[in-house]
Amino acid sequence: MIRRIAAAALSLTALVSLTACGADSSADAAAEDGRATLTIGDQAKTLQTMFAASGALKGAKYKVKWAEFEGAAPLYQAVQAGAADTGYSADLPALQALSGGLKIKNIAALKNDGSHVGIVVRKGSGIDSVKGLKGQKVVVSSAKGSISEYLLANVLKQHGLSYRDVKVQYLLPTDAQAAFASGKVKIWATFGVYQTVGLQQGGKLLVDGQDGRVSGIGFVNASDDALADSSKKAALTDFVKRLGTALKWTSTHKDAYAKAIVEHNGADPSVAKTLASAAYGKVLPVSADVNKTVQGVADLMNGIGVLNPNVDVAKSADTSLLK
């Protein structure tokens, strides 16, 4: 179970290794007076930075604690161990966790345009089209079942190729970045800031996740135990609505959000700008259309042996929190 969850991809915003215990939210320094406490799983201070900058947690009638992780895999391990009430990730890492037996439900959907995921090739590689990938070694960051791997599988299918037509090697983003910069790797399926760095280090974008090449959907999920607690469920309902407010703020205040990322995360300004532009833009209900779209992701990855067993996406949702 844990091994399968550990195979999930790192977050799109995973930049640094962080400790697995968070501090109480400064936006809600609620006293120890019996009110519900939510332990929110976060990655690279993404949610904490967003809420601190937007002020969207002010006035919440529950206490928030943050559990901080490098990426989706360790975050979902923490949820499995009861150390966090919630998780969030792109669609495929969530599917990997569900496939591994994690007792969670998707309670809200997130949406962006997919441009944060891409296949980068070195200039001078001679590869100018997806069909040129046939017979080539492709480095995928960061692990089996990442959003980058879905992009690769989907574009190969769209161009009449099989997944067996390429040789996949899995590398963590930092290792892949070094290998790409040195010329040892010429094709890299990656995401977020690593995609930007790859383009700066002698790469060109072969294809990205826009126009439906990835779903652009992520999920906020909660443990079954948290959802079974009536006070926590009420707090979760409020939290996902406030998350929507925070995301709306980031989408209309990109410069201010980038500045907050620099201040709270210590990121380089150019990196912060990339992260701000790649952020999810809105919170949506887990609708039938969302489930249908993500089921297509699950079915494709199951068909190439990456997601096993497959996941019934609709049955993995709790639609009662956000309508």
Side-chain angles (χ1 to χ4, degrees), residues 228-239:
D229 182 319
S230 60
S231 62
K232 283 193 175 185
K233 185 172 182 179
L236 285 165
T237 300
D238 181 75
F239 178 80

Side-chain angles (χ1 to χ4, degrees), residues 8 31-32 55 71 88 122 125 146 159 167 176 205 228 251 265 279-280 299 308 313:
E32 297 286 345
Y88 79 96
R122 287 198 63 81
S125 65
S146 74
H159 288 80
K167 303 167 187 175
L205 185 65
S251 66
N265 297 47
Y280 289 109
D299 293 345
N308 186 28
V313 180

Side-chain angles (χ1 to χ4, degrees), residues 24-36:
D24 292 356
S25 167
S26 60
D28 180 24
E32 297 286 345
D33 60 359
R35 287 181 287 174

Side-chain angles (χ1 to χ4, degrees), residues 6 22-23 32 44 46 52 77 87 102 130 140 169 190 230:
E32 297 286 345
T46 301
Q77 288 178 338
L102 186 59
V130 172
V140 169
Q169 178 184 359
T190 187
S230 60

Side-chain angles (χ1 to χ4, degrees), residues 10-300:
L10 294 178
S11 163
L12 299 178
T13 54
L15 297 179
V16 293
S17 178
L18 298 165
T19 61
C21 55
D24 292 356
S25 167
S26 60
D28 180 24
E32 297 286 345
D33 60 359
R35 287 181 287 174
T37 296
L38 288 181
T39 302
I40 304 296
D42 198 7
Q43 302 178 42
K45 294 186 179 179
T46 301
L47 297 182
Q48 294 176 73
T49 299
M50 186 186 306
F51 277 112
S54 67
L57 265 181
K58 289 180 180 178
K61 304 301 182 184
Y62 47 89
K63 186 175 181 179
V64 169
K65 290 185 176 181
W66 297 102
E68 194 61 62
F69 304 94
E70 182 182 4
L75 171 50
Y76 283 133
Q77 288 178 338
V79 175
Q80 196 270 344
D85 293 318
T86 72
Y88 79 96
S89 70
D91 52 12
L92 192 50
L95 292 172
Q96 285 280 21
L98 287 161
S99 178
L102 186 59
K103 302 299 184 183
I104 57 173
K105 292 291 189 298
N106 296 325
I107 61 174
L110 308 169
K111 182 65 178 175
N112 60 29
D113 66 3
S115 62
H116 57 280
V117 189
I119 299 174
V120 179
V121 299
R122 287 198 63 81
K123 294 176 182 176
S125 65
I127 299 170
D128 298 309
S129 68
V130 172
K131 288 192 174 182
L133 297 177
K134 186 173 183 178
Q136 301 286 339
K137 181 178 78 173
V138 181
V139 165
V140 169
S141 289
S142 59
K144 192 173 184 179
S146 74
I147 190 66
S148 307
E149 187 167 27
Y150 175 73
L151 172 64
L152 175 62
N154 198 30
V155 297
L156 289 171
K157 179 182 177 183
Q158 289 176 348
H159 288 80
L161 297 176
S162 164
Y163 203 63
R164 295 187 296 274
D165 287 327
V166 298
K167 303 167 187 175
V168 171
Q169 178 184 359
Y170 302 104
L171 281 178
L172 290 174
T174 50
D175 294 334
Q177 179 183 320
F180 188 83
S182 69
K184 294 179 181 178
V185 167
K186 65 179 182 180
I187 309 168
W188 184 19
T190 187
F191 52 83
V193 65
Y194 303 106
Q195 178 179 326
T196 301
V197 172
L199 294 173
Q200 293 172 346
Q201 295 178 331
K204 66 177 182 179
L205 185 65
L206 186 69
V207 66
D208 66 18
Q210 294 188 85
D211 300 322
R213 287 183 285 270
V214 300
S215 74
I217 294 171
F219 286 114
V220 178
N221 26 62
S223 69
D224 286 359
D225 286 344
L227 290 168
D229 182 319
S230 60
S231 62
K232 283 193 175 185
K233 185 172 182 179
L236 285 165
T237 300
D238 181 75
F239 178 80
V240 294
K241 291 176 181 177
R242 290 174 182 271
L243 177 58
T245 299
L247 288 178
K248 184 177 180 180
W249 181 89
T250 63
S251 66
T252 55
H253 297 77
K254 290 187 183 296
D255 289 343
Y257 182 37
K259 183 179 179 181
I261 293 172
V262 173
E263 293 174 351
H264 289 266
N265 297 47
D268 180 89
S270 63
V271 170
K273 186 176 180 179
T274 297
L275 294 178
S277 64
Y280 289 109
K282 60 179 69 175
V283 173
L284 302 170
V286 186
S287 65
D289 286 343
V290 165
N291 289 331
K292 181 179 179 181
T293 297
V294 178
Q295 190 65 56
V297 175
D299 293 345
L300 175 59

